[in-house]
Amino acid sequence: MATIRKRGNKWQCIVRRDGRTASKSFGKRRDALKWANSVEAMADAVGGALPSRAQHQADALQTMTLTDALQQLADEMTGERWRLLALSRLKVARLRIEAITAADVSKWRDKRLQGAKPSTVVRELSLMQTAIDRAQRGNSASYENPLRQVKRPRVNDRRERRLTDQEWQRLLRAAAECLNPLMRPLLLLARETAMRRGELLLMEWRDVDLEACTVLLPKTKNGHARFVPLSPTAIDVLNQLPRTDDRVLPITANAVRLNWQRLRTRAQVEDIRLHDLRAQAATDKLLAGWSVAEVQVLTGHRDARVLLERYARLRAADIVEKLRL
């Protein structure tokens, strides 16, 4: 007979058989009872022994919801935490992973496309797929991720916008006039390092090595740690920053958003996005003669096609200049 007891806001279920114990916690008592019945039934089917570790892993998938998987992934991918937590609150996320179908997700996709850009929806679908893949990682049971069967909307949001030298100087002057003195260093580092806004805001002094001219990013958008090379300009900027906080740039994402909106208006470049500085950095390096592989080290792109198709904003005029050499 299983023991079910309330512990805090969870229901803990304990099953004991032949000196072995299996336990699991649930948000609802009926889920705990259902799990107990299934474990005992499996034990009876094999002569009274509790299920193996492999069976426990398969059983975990049967009870885990997409919300659980997304919240677990949020702890790994700090740069996407806000988006993952928002997805975890969706109605479709309340479904158990093993019960989700491609039709369920496709229905959500179609509704989401009514108010979001295709690129946003593609990113969110990819995060859902990754969350499920991570949740069933190491499980020997055969399982086909339904997100792999969901057709992605076509994305055609390539940007060609590049900053002119005059626009860049106006942005720096406007940033220097901001009440928050960290905006100018943030812009300079964004263009020098090609780091994402989230990566810049999470960067800590303990990960900065000024002698080696590198900074370690332990958590990035794609979940892989990487070292970013620091240029002499980036080193100068870092040397001028006070070390009053664990973070190099102790400023909130919302403060950056508000300050950016104001300073780009003053600089009269309202069609420039902060993320464009990352693409500008990649383009700068390619124009300076860096190889694609070298730029990949800087930007952290694991797929060179993404780098070339979306971040390398080269023009025919750039090639013409080389032909004249």
Side-chain angles (χ1 to χ4, degrees), residues 238-258:
L238 291 170
N239 278 326
Q240 294 175 32
L241 288 173
R243 300 198 179 201
T244 56
D245 192 279
D246 290 340
R247 291 189 298 151
V248 175
L249 297 168
I251 178 174
T252 66
N254 189 54
V256 171
R257 180 180 63 83
L258 295 174

Side-chain angles (χ1 to χ4, degrees), residues 78-315:
T78 310
E80 290 280 15
R81 182 176 177 80
W82 67 271
R83 193 192 301 270
L84 287 162
L85 293 180
L87 290 173
S88 72
R89 293 189 287 270
L90 296 174
K91 184 177 179 180
V92 69
R94 301 174 193 166
L95 298 173
R96 288 178 293 112
I97 287 178
E98 62 98 26
I100 292 177
T101 66
D104 294 326
V105 182
S106 297
K107 183 178 179 180
W108 168 83
R109 174 204 61 199
D110 295 341
K111 184 176 180 181
R112 178 66 169 141
L113 282 169
Q114 296 175 15
K117 294 180 180 179
S119 58
T120 299
V121 179
V122 168
R123 181 59 187 160
E124 291 173 346
L125 287 171
S126 296
L127 288 172
M128 290 181 184
Q129 178 176 314
T130 300
I132 293 178
D133 283 343
R134 297 283 181 90
Q136 61 98 35
R137 180 174 51 194
N139 180 50
S140 59
S142 63
Y143 176 79
E144 185 175 354
N145 192 331
L147 269 294
R148 298 185 185 279
Q149 304 168 21
V150 178
K151 185 177 180 180
R152 269 48 170 178
R154 187 172 182 178
V155 177
N156 185 23
D157 61 351
R158 175 177 169 83
R159 282 172 62 80
E160 301 291 344
R161 185 69 163 88
R162 273 164 49 177
L163 278 169
T164 66
D165 291 340
Q166 293 78 12
E167 288 173 332
W168 176 238
Q169 292 305 317
R170 293 205 303 270
L171 276 173
L172 291 180
R173 284 196 296 271
E177 296 171 2
C178 283
L179 294 179
N180 194 314
L182 294 178
M183 283 304 296
R184 190 172 187 276
L186 185 144
L187 297 191
L188 287 167
L189 289 173
R191 184 164 183 179
E192 288 296 317
T193 66
M195 289 167 61
R196 301 176 179 90
R197 175 174 59 181
E199 294 169 346
L200 287 164
L201 298 184
L202 289 173
M203 181 170 50
E204 296 188 353
W205 284 112
R206 64 181 178 181
D207 296 321
V208 176
D209 189 336
L210 295 180
E211 291 186 6
C213 297
T214 61
V215 57
L216 169 65
L217 302 181
K219 292 186 178 181
T220 64
K221 182 178 179 179
N222 59 24
H224 297 274
R226 79 174 194 272
F227 281 96
V228 177
L230 298 172
S231 68
T233 298
I235 293 292
D236 288 343
V237 172
L238 291 170
N239 278 326
Q240 294 175 32
L241 288 173
R243 300 198 179 201
T244 56
D245 192 279
D246 290 340
R247 291 189 298 151
V248 175
L249 297 168
I251 178 174
T252 66
N254 189 54
V256 171
R257 180 180 63 83
L258 295 174
N259 279 290
W260 171 252
Q261 290 175 351
R262 288 191 288 265
L263 75 85
R264 70 176 183 175
T265 297
R266 288 198 300 271
Q268 298 179 336
V269 287
E270 295 191 56
D271 61 333
I272 288 290
R273 304 170 184 171
L274 188 56
H275 194 70
D276 286 332
L277 296 183
R278 176 167 159 81
Q280 186 73 44
T283 304
D284 289 343
K285 299 302 183 281
L286 288 170
L287 290 174
W290 286 35
S291 69
V292 173
E294 289 171 332
V295 178
Q296 278 186 268
V297 172
L298 181 72
T299 63
H301 283 104
R302 299 177 70 82
D303 189 339
R305 291 175 300 176
V306 176
L307 170 63
L308 293 174
E309 292 174 5
R310 302 196 60 187
Y311 288 84
R313 299 180 181 176
L314 303 177
R315 301 168 181 163

